[in-house]
Amino acid sequence: IEDATGLRPVLYRPPYGRILPRQLSLLRGLGLHTVLWSQLPGDWDERIPAHVLHSRLGSVAGGDIVVLHDREGGRRSLAVLLRALHRVLRTKNLRTYPLLQFTGAQ
């Protein structure tokens, strides 16, 4: 990632949220902060109807971390979900903040 962007990553989201204690130690040694999530609407599964994804976003609350996936062929659905999430946040008077602000990572 650093070679491609010129920026050194400081956050790590383990695939499927699975991580072993020895991996945590290794990641800390690399200066990476592990981040999990509290809301997983399921946008990676194309079989889930859009209205179900939208209803899952309705349970978002303050302090939640929502995982959405940017994947080949799925950018249109991601855009739809981002608009839906924006409406939910606005309705609940919630704001978004940079994740780095809450991790202590620089």
Side-chain angles (χ1 to χ4, degrees), residues 8 15 39 41-42 67 78 80 104:
R8 186 174 177 277
Q39 295 286 332
V67 171
L78 176 61
V80 169

Side-chain angles (χ1 to χ4, degrees), residues 24-52:
L24 282 173
S25 178
L26 174 66
L27 292 165
R28 279 191 211 110
L30 294 171
L32 294 169
H33 295 259
T34 302
V35 178
L36 297 175
W37 57 87
S38 52
Q39 295 286 332
L40 186 66
D43 61 313
W44 70 89
D45 188 344
E46 295 176 6
R47 298 170 298 175
I48 298 175
H51 73 278
V52 172

Side-chain angles (χ1 to χ4, degrees), residues 7-8 13 15 22 25 35-36 39 43 46 50 54 57 59 64 66 71 73 76-78 84 99 101:
L7 300 172
R8 186 174 177 277
R13 180 187 67 85
R22 67 177 181 263
S25 178
V35 178
L36 297 175
Q39 295 286 332
D43 61 313
E46 295 176 6
H54 288 192
L57 290 175
S59 65
D64 278 346
V66 180
R71 59 178 166 52
R76 186 175 318 194
S77 62
L78 176 61
L99 193 53
Q101 182 175 330

